[in-house]
Amino acid sequence: MEKLKVYADRMSQPSRAVLIFCRLNGIDFEEIKIDISKRHHLSPEFTDVNPLQKVPAIVHGNFNLFESHAILVYLASAFPRIADHWYPTDVLRRAKINSVLDWHHSNLRYGAVNYVTNTVLGPALGRPLNPKAAAEAEKVLSSSLSKLEDIWLNGDRLFLLGGFQPSIADLSLVCELTQLELLDEKDRDRILFPYKKVLRWIEDTRTATNPHFEQVHDILYRAKKKFQQQRSRVAKTGTDNSSKMGTHSKM
Amino acid sequence: MEKLKVYADRMSQPSRAVLIFCRLNGIDFEEIKIDISKRHHLSPEFTDVNPLQKVPAIVHGNFNLFESHAILVYLASAFPRIADHWYPTDVLRRAKINSVLDWHHSNLRYGAVNYVTNTVLGPALGRPLNPKAAAEAEKVLSSSLSKLEDIWLNGDRLFLLGGFQPSIADLSLVCELTQLELLDEKDRDRILFPYKKVLRWIEDTRTATNPHFEQVHDILYRAKKKFQQQRSRVAKTGTDNSSKMGTHSKM
C-alpha cells in the first residue's frame, strides 16, 4: 500500500494531534501542508481529498478519511504495533474514551476554538474579532475545564479516565488546549489557573509525547511570540484603552 | 449481569436513537424516564449516573456511560447478535461511520438543536426564544443538510456512505432531524424541501426501523400537535404579525 498521506496545518489543533500520533507510533507518513491562512483548504486538489474542506484529512492507498477523532481511531486500528493504551481493545475502556471524545466536540472544542478565534486569531482567518461571542465562548470553555478537572481527571493517575498512559483522548484534548498559548497571558492565566489537575495533565501529556509534541507545536509557539509582539506594540502606542476585551480586540 | 438501564427523555433526539436501537436489536433493557422539562436530569440520583447531567445515559452492571454515540457503539459491541451493518467490524467502513458521527456534533446537531430551541422549544426548557441565534443556527443547519445531500448521501443506495442497510449513523442523524417536526410547517418546508435525497433517506430510515421508530417518536408527534394548536390560537387572536421569525417567537 502507498505511504500514508496526512494533510495538515500545524496551526490547527486536530492536525497537530494526528501528526504527533503518527510520529510517536513510528507510522511512515508524508505530511502535506495545507495552509488555511492561504486558503489552501479550498483548493480543488484538497477538496478531492476532503469535500468538507477541513484539516486534518488522510489518504491511505485508495482510502480517504477526515474528522480527527475518526482518523486517530483508524490509525490506532489499521496500523500494526500501536500500543493498546492509545485506544484500548477492552470494550469498557474504549467506551469511556469514545465518551470523552464525543463530549469534546460541543464542549471543550467549541469553547476553546470560539474564544481564541474571537480574541486573537480571527483576522488571520479573515474573520472579525467579536467580544460578545468571546464572552459566551469563555463560559463554555470554563465550564468544560471544570468538568475536565472534576469528572474526567477525577482520580490520582496521570491521564484521563484514570489512565497510567495517554490515550488518543488525552492527545486530542491537550492539543485543543495548547491553542490557549496564543492568548494574552492575563486571559490565559484567568481561564486556566483555577484548574490545577488540568494544568498538571497538560504537562504530563506533553512530557509523555515529547520530543514530538514540542516539535509539532513549534509553529504555535512562533505565532504566540508574534501576537505578543503585536500586543506590546499596540500597548506602547497607547491606542488600546477603550476595549472591554483587552488588547486582542484591536489586533 | 443486571439488566441494562437506559435513562432517557424521548423528547431528546439522542435518547430516541438509543431507545430505538435497543428495541430493534432485541436488547433486554429497562427505560428510566428523565423528564428534562421537569429538571429530573439535575437530580442527585441521575447525577450519580451521569455527572454531566445529560440524557441519554446507561448503566450496565457496574458500568455507566453517557454520550449517545459512545453508547450506540458500546451496545453494538457489547451485546451479542447485533447485525454487523449497525457498526461494521470492517476497519474502513467503521472509520467512515465514525467520521459521519464526529461531523454530526458541530454541524447537523449544532444547527438543528439551536434552530429548534430558538424558534419553538426554548420556553419549555426555561430559555427565551432568540431570533438572531435562530437565523445563525439555520445557516449551519442548511449547510449541514447540503453536505448530507451532496457528500454523505452521494450514491444511489438508501443509507449514508452507500449502505444497503442502516448504521448507527443513520439512526443518530435521522433522530436529530425528526425534531424539525416541531417547527411551523412553512419553516420546516423551507429548510428541508431543497434536499430530496435527505427527505427520501429520512423515510427509508423510518421504514427500516419501524414500528419502533414511530412508537418512540409518539411523544414528539404529540408535542408537534400541541405547538400547532398554540400557533393557530396565536394566529386567530392576531397578535403575531410583527415578528420576523414567524409565529414561534411569540410562543
Side-chain angles (χ1 to χ4, degrees), chain B residues 16-27 68-90 93-101 159-161 163-175 201 204-213:
Chain B
R16 291 195 294 271
V18 169
L19 292 171
I20 294 167
F21 183 85
C22 288
R23 292 170 60 141
L24 272 167
N25 288 288
I27 292 174
S68 70
H69 292 171
I71 292 172
L72 290 166
V73 167
Y74 171 76
L75 296 175
S77 313
F79 281 80
R81 294 181 302 276
I82 307 290
D84 190 70
H85 62 84
W86 288 110
Y87 192 58
T89 41
D90 175 71
R93 288 198 56 76
R94 177 168 288 198
K96 290 283 190 181
I97 287 172
N98 288 337
S99 179
V100 178
L101 289 170
F159 300 105
L160 291 169
L161 305 163
F164 287 111
Q165 287 177 289
S167 73
I168 55 173
D170 294 281
L171 191 54
S172 173
L173 273 63
V174 168
C175 283
W201 162 68
D204 289 335
T205 303
R206 187 195 303 253
T207 305
T209 59
N210 261 339
H212 307 293
F213 191 96

Side-chain angles (χ1 to χ4, degrees), chain B residues 39 113-114 117-118 120-130 251:
Chain B
R39 307 281 180 274
V113 166
N114 285 297
T117 305
N118 285 300
V120 181
L121 214 51
L125 304 169
R127 291 160 59 177
L129 299 177
N130 180 339
M251 288 183 61

Side-chain angles (χ1 to χ4, degrees), chain A residues 69 99-110 172-173 176, chain B residues 67:
Chain A
H69 293 171
S99 179
V100 178
L101 289 171
D102 287 338
W103 170 82
H104 180 204
H105 291 280
S106 306
N107 294 282
L108 189 67
R109 161 145 261 253
Y110 179 89
S172 173
L173 273 63
E176 195 71 54
Chain B
E67 288 291 332

Side-chain angles (χ1 to χ4, degrees), chain A residues 51-52 63-67 69-70 73-74 77-78 91-92 94-96 98-99 102-103 105-106 110 147 151-152, chain B residues 51-52 63-67 69-70 73-74 77-78 91-92 94-96 98-99 102-103 105-106 110 147 151-152:
Chain A
L52 299 176
F63 184 67
N64 67 327
L65 190 67
F66 29 92
E67 288 293 332
H69 293 171
V73 167
Y74 171 75
S77 313
V91 172
L92 302 185
R94 179 170 285 197
K96 290 283 189 182
N98 286 338
S99 179
D102 287 338
W103 170 82
H105 291 280
S106 306
Y110 179 89
K147 278 165 185 129
I151 300 170
W152 304 117
Chain B
L52 299 176
F63 183 67
N64 69 327
L65 188 67
F66 28 91
E67 288 291 332
H69 292 171
V73 167
Y74 171 76
S77 313
V91 172
L92 302 186
R94 177 168 288 198
K96 290 283 190 181
N98 288 337
S99 179
D102 287 338
W103 170 81
H105 291 280
S106 306
Y110 179 90
K147 277 164 186 129
I151 300 171
W152 305 117

Side-chain angles (χ1 to χ4, degrees), chain A residues 181-198:
Chain A
E181 291 288 329
L182 299 177
L183 301 178
D184 187 323
E185 214 168 320
K186 287 193 309 289
D187 290 333
R188 195 170 68 251
D189 290 355
R190 183 188 71 247
I191 291 171
L192 272 177
F193 267 38
Y195 306 105
K196 300 304 177 198
K197 283 184 184 176
V198 171

Side-chain angles (χ1 to χ4, degrees), chain B residues 29-226:
Chain B
F29 74 104
E30 178 190 354
E31 177 179 350
I32 296 159
K33 188 177 171 178
I34 301 293
D35 189 332
I36 295 175
S37 72
K38 293 184 181 153
R39 307 281 180 274
H40 291 170
H41 58 302
L42 306 178
S43 75
E45 294 77 18
F46 184 63
T47 305
D48 277 349
V49 172
N50 182 359
L52 299 176
Q53 304 178 314
K54 304 227 170 178
V55 288
I58 61 167
V59 173
H60 193 203
N62 295 321
F63 183 67
N64 69 327
L65 188 67
F66 28 91
E67 288 291 332
S68 70
H69 292 171
I71 292 172
L72 290 166
V73 167
Y74 171 76
L75 296 175
S77 313
F79 281 80
R81 294 181 302 276
I82 307 290
D84 190 70
H85 62 84
W86 288 110
Y87 192 58
T89 41
D90 175 71
V91 172
L92 302 186
R93 288 198 56 76
R94 177 168 288 198
K96 290 283 190 181
I97 287 172
N98 288 337
S99 179
V100 178
L101 289 170
D102 287 338
W103 170 81
H104 180 205
H105 291 280
S106 306
N107 294 282
L108 189 67
R109 160 144 261 253
Y110 179 90
V113 166
N114 285 297
Y115 187 77
V116 173
T117 305
N118 285 300
T119 52
V120 181
L121 214 51
L125 304 169
R127 291 160 59 177
L129 299 177
N130 180 339
K132 191 161 170 265
E136 278 169 27
E138 186 176 341
K139 278 187 217 163
V140 178
L141 176 55
S142 292
S143 156
S144 302
L145 288 166
S146 135
K147 277 164 186 129
L148 265 174
E149 182 90 358
D150 297 334
I151 300 171
W152 305 117
L153 289 169
N154 189 8
D156 52 3
R157 295 186 194 156
L158 296 184
F159 300 105
L160 291 169
L161 305 163
F164 287 111
Q165 287 177 289
S167 73
I168 55 173
D170 294 281
L171 191 54
S172 173
L173 273 63
V174 168
C175 283
E176 194 71 55
L177 283 173
T178 50
Q179 67 183 308
L180 302 182
E181 291 289 329
L182 299 177
L183 301 178
D184 187 324
E185 215 169 318
K186 289 193 308 290
D187 289 335
R188 196 170 68 251
D189 291 355
R190 183 188 71 244
I191 290 171
L192 273 176
F193 268 37
Y195 305 105
K196 300 303 177 198
K197 284 184 183 176
V198 171
L199 288 167
R200 198 190 62 191
W201 162 68
I202 293 173
E203 277 314 299
D204 289 335
T205 303
R206 187 195 303 253
T207 305
T209 59
N210 261 339
H212 307 293
F213 191 96
E214 288 301 296
Q215 286 167 4
V216 171
H217 278 81
D218 184 57
I219 188 176
L220 186 85
Y221 301 143
R222 281 187 282 125
K224 174 184 176 163
K225 263 194 201 151
K226 205 190 75 185

